[in-house]
Amino acid sequence: MKVHALRSYTIAYLVFLYAPIILLPLFAFNDSKVIAFPLSGFTTTWFITMWKDQSLWTALKNSLVISISVAVFSTTFGLFASRAATRFEFPAKGAALGLIMLPLVLPEMIVAMSMLVVLLAIGVPLSIFTIILGHVLLCTPFSTAILTSAFQSLDQSLEEAAMDLGETPLSTVWLIVLPLVMPGIISSVLICFTISLDEFIMSYFLGGNEPVLSTYIFGQFRFPARVPAIMALGTILVCLSITLLAIAEYFRRRGIAKSGGKDTGGFL
Amino acid sequence: MSTKDAMIEFRDVHKYYGDYHALRGITATIRPGEFFSLLGPSGCGKTTLLRTIAGFEGISSGAVLVDGRDMSGVPAHKRPTNMVFQSYAIFPHLSVEENVGFGLRKDPRSSADKARAVGEALEMVGLKGYCKRASHALSGGQRQRVALARALILKPKVLLLDEPLSALDKKMREQMQMELIKLQRQVGITFILVTHDQEEALVMSDRIAVMFEGEIAQLADPETLYRRPNSRKVPNFIGTMNFLPAKILQESARAVEVDVAGFGRVNVDAQQVMACASGESATVGFRPETLTVLFDPSAKSERESMATIEEVIYFGDMTYYDVRIDGTGTPVRISMSNVFGRQVLDIGARVRVGWSLGALVLFR
Amino acid sequence: MLKHNGAGKRQSEAVSGWLLISPTFLYAGLLLAAPLVAVLFYSLTLKDVGGFSLDNFWEVWTKPIYQKLMGRSLNVSLSVTAVTVLLAYPVAYFVSFHVHPSKKSLWLFLITIPFWTSYLIRVFLWKVILGYNGVINSGLMSIGLIDAPLQAINYNVQAMVLTLAHAYAPFAILPIFVSLEKIDRSLLEAGRDLGENKFLTFWRVTLPLSMPGVIAAVLIVFIPTVGDYVTPDLIGGGKLPMIADMIEVMMLKQNDRHMGSAIAVTAMVIVAIVSLIFLFLNKQFLRGTK
């Protein structure tokens, strides 16, 4: 009976979680300029309006450039940090890692503003490049955390075995370490990409006048007439992120199957 | 020293981890073609010593020589030794075949020759036809065999085995012990086994080094280790030994005469006299199977004493009796095979205990 | 003969470790530590006049306008944290204890999916739901339950709390779930075996053991919500500014880096103090249940 109540509560909670998202397609296909009930009919107009908006494409192009760069750089930085953290003992290791992970426990607004003050003071023009700088700072802790757990599950004797069998430390990294942490690298790339694509505060303050997807969306909210098209865009984004998430989950499971481990669920 | 009869030579090897003195002056020689074991409790430095041969641990001072060549500055991947890891370290992303052939990457032979070598190595360890198997689908025993094939295919001068059987269940372990012995005879390579299992070391080795706290306590063949341990620590680790206090009465070059509580005056042969640690008083030690409970009233023994049974531990094929010999303070253990038709005695029974002089070891 | 040296090896390991971590460390140092130091410097110096002084902080801490904004931010963040964690705990508990192990990843997947949709759009959707002409009002009016739009549900602090509680839900559920998963189930059986009823077993065994996850959830929700910028703007309609808005106004619109920095540093100090209080309470709680 108590379990029953818990289960009902959990389902109610899931309804709460999904409520806003279910509204997205509902109003994306609703033939009305106002987001309100009752629904007035089916239309695909909003998708066409969205598709024809040139500024969306500019923002999307900028966002893709940013997110791909961020995914690559953050994962690279994450690889360095996590390998050092799991493989070596050195003085002030905790402090070094603490600084790297610090963005996780600082309000984003403060990080963004601090960077902005310094960038303005030394005269760096705000652009896509400065957004990338900020996003890499933000995503590196996530990448480091994901890759640290990947490196931790790597049995050190595998590396020793490879060297014992005649491989140099460098070729051991190439033949043994990288293939075995590849699932971690892939999920780090996907997660950094997603975080960067979604990020708003840094893009808004560090981007100057360069539009990206999130600032474009934010701008559109000011014009009620544009909102239905944003619903259409949101619907597409939701489908895309579910696909990405499914891919990430697939690689995670394959990684577990490869190393013969047990699935303990949840990849965050 | 002539290197002909030394495959491995440790010369006063010391190893520090910060302040911790892990290896305290190891000097020993391991002969070519020998099955050698490093035996000791966990933390005694046996694995560290093995890893200094493989090159995974540097040493703080001294020298490690493999086949007459000083290994200092030689990285792990250039040493003529191969290792079977405790966790087996089977590469999970590679197939059985790729695992076994891993070390052949830089081998100039054709791929067909290499494939044949892999097949032969797998056949040697009893895994014929397992080439294409995924490595994560293997059982513990099979992983063990793949690890062996992978190390032996490179024809190393020395095969290092780091507790290779500890993860297997009892039956599988005993089977692998026999197979390892056969394999070693077949390939003729020096095997160095690290183990904390005294039985495993006794069964498998030509010679054993017993280690405590970073030092080799005794290095000898299994029988000598068992019959003539050179300190009280060694027999405490290998099997069981009874100890009774002794008082030295007289000594000559050939024997020492002692008075042992419960046994009376005995002469111990100089060969059976060992030094004991400082601070310990003289004791005689003897194994449980060297005493006999004389069931038959007419049975005779070289020497005998009267005793009372204090505890009976029944094992099926064996029975352990803890008895107090008249005139002694502490009980001693006697192990007796259970012969068909013979009754197991009860606690409190009075018995005659037979013993012989040759079984006594004197620590003084 | 070459001699290996224990200390030497450890030194070379330290060098390798530092070399390996240095690219990431330097990046964080240049783009995070240096700007933070700069902000601290600005906060301690006066605009136009220069020279070190605590006047900026004095102003931030005594002026009613700042006090009110700080108070509101803290109030919203703490409410969001409490609501989110309290709502999340039973869900994490259910998935960990009453879902078959093979189905757990599916449930977690279901819980995390909404989190992966655009944060901005999610926040905006709550505005759409709760707004004056929003989904709830229009829905209720169209089925005739109310005649005029409800005003109690829009543009207020409660609406912000609800929106943020939704946005940070997975962040709260996952750490609690992980800590619940780590609990050895035989401990609970031992608790029952030792004569505690189900509720007391939960109170004396499960809850203390899951406390690290709860604290992690509290910090993960509390810290970012203090600096949230989007929700006050969209849900609060700009009428309920919080710390983030204030920093923006000072830094960019009034071009006063010194005051802006003082506010930012104050916010960081508040976050640090509240976090430390939570960690301290956790320690006390764990000690109290022993």
Side-chain angles (χ1 to χ4, degrees):
Chain A
M1 183 205 88
K2 249 179 103 184
V3 176
H4 207 74
L6 257 181
R7 173 188 294 273
S8 313
Y9 171 79
T10 306
I11 288 167
Y13 192 87
L14 278 181
V15 170
F16 163 67
L17 283 186
Y18 278 86
I21 287 134
I22 288 162
L23 292 178
L24 264 182
L26 225 53
F27 289 108
F29 289 108
N30 185 31
D31 189 8
S32 163
K33 281 187 177 171
V34 199
I35 306 292
F37 283 113
L39 299 174
S40 42
F42 181 82
T43 179
T44 51
T45 325
W46 306 122
F47 285 89
I48 295 160
T49 316
M50 177 209 87
W51 198 263
K52 284 186 176 155
D53 186 353
Q54 211 46 54
S55 53
L56 167 65
W57 292 102
T58 317
L60 183 67
K61 205 192 92 216
N62 284 343
S63 268
L64 285 179
V65 170
I66 292 168
S67 299
I68 291 169
S69 319
V70 169
V72 171
F73 287 121
S74 300
T75 304
T76 311
F77 281 132
L79 274 171
F80 282 120
S82 55
R83 176 73 170 167
T86 48
R87 188 72 167 69
F88 297 100
E89 285 306 323
F90 48 93
K93 176 174 158 179
L97 281 171
L99 178 64
I100 291 165
M101 303 304 273
L102 192 60
L104 280 184
V105 294
L106 278 181
E108 212 184 314
M109 186 67 185
I110 290 174
V111 180
M113 278 300 154
S114 313
M115 278 185 71
L116 182 63
V117 167
V118 170
L119 289 173
L120 291 179
I122 57 176
V124 177
L126 300 179
S127 65
I128 289 178
F129 175 70
T130 46
I131 299 180
I132 294 175
L133 286 183
H135 282 188
V136 169
L137 189 67
L138 221 58
C139 291
T140 302
F142 286 96
S143 173
T144 306
I146 294 167
L147 291 169
T148 299
S149 77
F151 277 119
Q152 262 166 357
S153 58
L154 185 69
D155 182 358
Q156 166 126 34
S157 63
L158 290 175
E159 289 170 52
E160 289 179 349
M163 286 192 255
D164 190 57
L165 296 167
E167 297 298 339
T168 60
L170 208 64
S171 61
T172 299
V173 168
W174 184 249
L175 290 169
I176 302 297
V177 179
L178 279 183
L180 288 174
V181 295
M182 198 39 90
I185 294 176
I186 291 172
S187 54
S188 161
V189 164
L190 289 176
I191 282 170
C192 293
F193 180 87
T194 317
I195 292 174
S196 166
L197 198 65
D198 196 31
E199 204 284 333
F200 172 72
I201 293 183
M202 288 212 165
S203 309
Y204 188 63
F205 290 110
L206 298 181
N209 290 320
E210 290 284 357
V212 299
L213 207 53
S214 57
T215 53
Y216 165 82
I217 291 171
F218 189 71
Q220 300 296 298
F221 290 151
R222 307 221 176 277
F223 312 104
R226 301 258 178 89
V227 168
I230 292 297
M231 295 282 148
L233 174 62
T235 308
I236 292 171
L237 285 179
V238 167
C239 294
L240 276 180
S241 39
I242 291 176
T243 315
L244 266 188
L245 202 61
I247 295 173
E249 177 72 8
Y250 168 78
F251 275 107
R252 191 185 67 84
R253 289 194 180 186
R254 215 178 67 164
I256 288 168
K258 247 187 185 175
S259 53
K262 259 189 172 173
D263 190 354
T264 46
F267 65 82
L268 258 185
Chain B
M1 181 188 265
S2 137
T3 52
K4 224 178 163 197
D5 52 350
M7 180 50 81
I8 303 281
E9 210 186 321
F10 298 108
R11 289 185 187 161
D12 195 28
V13 172
H14 286 265
K15 167 82 185 174
Y16 289 89
Y17 292 106
D19 293 335
Y20 180 63
H21 201 169
L23 296 177
R24 306 176 175 210
I26 303 287
T27 299
T29 303
I30 299 171
R31 301 174 192 140
E34 185 171 40
F35 200 128
F36 191 91
S37 288
L38 295 168
L39 174 67
S42 57
C44 71
K46 56 189 192 298
T47 297
T48 309
L49 189 60
L50 190 80
R51 289 165 61 86
T52 64
I53 306 174
F56 298 133
E57 299 282 355
I59 53 178
S60 309
S61 69
V64 177
L65 284 77
V66 177
D67 202 16
R69 195 170 144 228
D70 188 349
M71 285 290 122
S72 61
V74 179
H77 60 275
K78 292 195 176 142
R79 296 199 181 193
T81 60
N82 284 114
M83 186 143 164
V84 173
F85 291 82
Q86 186 169 15
S87 62
Y88 311 140
I90 302 299
F91 305 125
H93 59 307
L94 302 180
S95 69
V96 166
E97 182 181 37
E98 288 166 323
N99 261 287
V100 174
F102 189 87
L104 298 179
R105 198 167 70 93
K106 291 169 188 157
D107 193 307
R109 279 184 285 175
S110 73
S111 52
D113 284 348
K114 287 187 201 176
R116 197 171 313 121
V118 169
E120 282 166 12
L122 280 171
E123 199 175 338
M124 186 168 64
V125 297
L127 283 182
K128 198 180 172 186
Y130 276 70
C131 277
K132 303 290 174 204
R133 283 285 178 95
S135 52
H136 58 75
L138 299 175
S139 72
Q142 288 166 339
R143 281 161 175 270
Q144 165 85 76
R145 289 158 201 263
V146 172
L148 269 171
R150 187 177 69 180
L152 286 173
I153 198 171
L154 298 175
K155 305 214 161 36
K157 289 180 173 160
V158 181
L159 183 73
L160 308 170
L161 301 124
D162 183 9
E163 306 226 11
L165 307 177
S166 58
L168 303 176
D169 61 55
K170 191 168 185 282
K171 248 206 166 117
M172 192 68 207
R173 191 158 63 224
E174 282 167 3
Q175 187 190 335
M176 280 309 292
Q177 285 174 1
M178 290 304 124
E179 288 189 28
L180 273 176
I181 296 171
K182 273 187 210 154
L183 195 63
Q184 197 262 341
R185 283 189 197 136
Q186 188 188 333
V187 297
I189 291 171
T190 309
F191 276 32
I192 305 177
L193 173 83
V194 160
T195 181
H196 61 263
D197 182 342
Q198 40 111 355
E199 200 179 293
E200 186 170 297
L202 290 177
V203 167
M204 297 173 77
S205 326
D206 296 321
R207 288 196 308 153
I208 301 170
V210 183
M211 290 183 67
F212 295 109
E213 290 165 0
E215 288 174 344
I216 293 181
Q218 190 171 10
L219 194 166
D221 60 274
E223 202 179 339
T224 309
L225 267 187
Y226 192 78
R227 293 204 185 285
R228 295 175 45 229
N230 66 358
S231 69
R232 286 179 61 172
K233 264 183 169 175
V234 173
N236 267 338
F237 191 72
I238 300 174
T240 318
M241 192 172 241
N242 295 304
F243 295 102
L244 288 174
K247 209 163 108 193
I248 295 168
L249 302 173
Q250 238 179 60
E251 47 191 306
S252 67
R254 291 178 50 209
V256 180
E257 191 186 12
V258 287
D259 182 23
V260 182
F263 283 179
R265 284 173 167 238
V266 287
N267 266 314
V268 180
D269 192 283
Q271 254 201 334
Q272 300 285 98
V273 177
M274 307 291 167
C276 65
S278 60
E280 281 177 3
S281 51
T283 19
V284 292
F286 46 96
R287 296 285 186 184
E289 67 276 11
T290 61
L291 297 188
T292 321
V293 176
L294 300 169
F295 287 86
D296 187 348
S298 63
K300 286 266 195 246
S301 175
E302 187 185 337
R303 295 284 191 95
E304 58 177 82
S305 308
M306 286 304 289
T308 311
I309 294 180
E310 296 207 329
E311 191 64 74
V312 179
I313 307 144
Y314 181 71
F315 277 97
D317 59 337
M318 304 272 292
T319 304
Y320 284 179
Y321 295 104
D322 285 349
V323 306
R324 191 190 298 273
I325 295 171
D326 291 358
T328 63
T330 44
V332 295
R333 176 159 290 182
I334 304 176
S335 67
M336 296 288 293
S337 305
N338 287 336
V339 179
F340 176 73
R342 187 163 73 194
Q343 214 188 333
V344 174
L345 296 168
D346 287 328
I347 293 174
R350 292 283 293 165
V351 288
R352 284 195 301 141
V353 172
W355 50 281
S356 69
L357 273 175
L360 301 185
V361 183
L362 173 65
F363 300 96
R364 53 165 297 200
Chain C
M1 189 178 76
L2 258 167
K3 272 204 172 177
H4 294 264
N5 179 302
K9 201 201 168 204
R10 290 209 307 169
Q11 211 164 19
S12 82
E13 188 184 323
V15 170
S16 317
W18 264 108
L19 277 179
L20 203 52
I21 207 170
S22 57
T24 318
F25 178 75
L26 286 179
Y27 190 86
L30 230 56
L31 283 141
L32 182 65
L36 287 179
V37 169
V39 163
L40 190 65
F41 175 79
Y42 277 126
S43 73
L44 288 168
T45 50
L46 295 176
K47 196 184 178 188
D48 304 327
V49 193
F52 283 96
S53 155
L54 286 173
D55 287 3
N56 297 326
F57 286 105
W58 183 251
E59 196 175 333
V60 172
W61 294 342
T62 51
K63 257 196 178 174
I65 167 83
Y66 296 125
Q67 286 177 342
K68 197 178 163 201
L69 284 184
M70 295 270 182
R72 181 187 291 143
S73 274
L74 207 56
N75 177 23
V76 169
S77 295
L78 288 173
S79 314
V80 170
T81 308
V83 169
T84 312
V85 173
L86 285 177
L87 288 180
Y89 196 98
V91 176
Y93 184 86
F94 172 75
V95 177
S96 178
F97 281 79
H98 296 296
V99 169
H100 191 269
S102 62
K103 294 267 167 61
K104 280 180 186 174
S105 7
L106 180 70
W107 276 87
L108 291 179
F109 198 58
L110 280 176
I111 288 166
T112 37
I113 285 177
F115 164 68
W116 291 106
T117 62
S118 164
Y119 174 66
L120 275 177
I121 291 181
R122 263 182 297 150
V123 171
F124 182 75
L125 283 166
W126 280 106
K127 180 192 166 112
V128 167
I129 292 171
L130 301 171
Y132 186 76
N133 291 313
V135 170
I136 289 183
N137 276 336
S138 64
L140 291 177
M141 273 160 67
S142 72
I143 57 171
L145 266 177
I146 52 171
D147 300 324
L150 300 169
Q151 293 194 15
I153 56 172
N154 46 47
Y155 300 129
N156 57 20
V157 169
Q158 286 83 342
M160 285 204 270
V161 171
L162 182 69
T163 306
L164 287 168
H166 179 264
Y168 287 94
F171 285 119
I173 294 176
L174 289 177
I176 299 174
F177 171 79
V178 169
S179 67
L180 286 171
E181 278 295 279
K182 279 187 192 152
I183 297 176
D184 182 353
R185 297 307 193 251
S186 64
L187 287 177
L188 306 183
E189 285 162 10
R192 300 292 304 278
D193 187 54
L194 294 171
E196 300 285 20
N197 66 27
K198 256 190 174 165
F199 177 75
L200 278 176
T201 303
F202 173 80
W203 182 249
R204 290 186 58 186
V205 182
T206 314
L207 191 59
L209 287 174
S210 62
M211 226 37 191
V214 172
I215 292 300
V218 163
L219 295 181
I220 285 175
V221 176
F222 175 74
I223 291 168
T225 48
V226 169
D228 193 70
Y229 178 83
V230 175
T231 305
D233 192 278
L234 287 178
I235 301 291
K239 288 170 199 148
L240 299 164
M242 305 217 298
I243 288 182
D245 304 82
M246 201 160 56
I247 298 176
E248 185 204 1
V249 167
M250 278 299 162
M251 292 271 195
L252 301 180
K253 300 201 172 120
Q254 302 199 0
N255 210 9
D256 186 344
R257 287 172 198 167
H258 304 268
M259 276 306 288
S261 296
I263 298 169
V265 171
T266 305
M268 273 191 279
V269 170
I270 291 176
V271 167
I273 290 174
V274 174
S275 306
L276 288 177
I277 290 175
F278 279 127
L279 291 174
F280 175 75
L281 284 179
N282 178 40
K283 241 185 191 168
Q284 288 297 321
F285 176 81
L286 289 183
R287 195 170 301 153
T289 51
K290 261 177 201 161

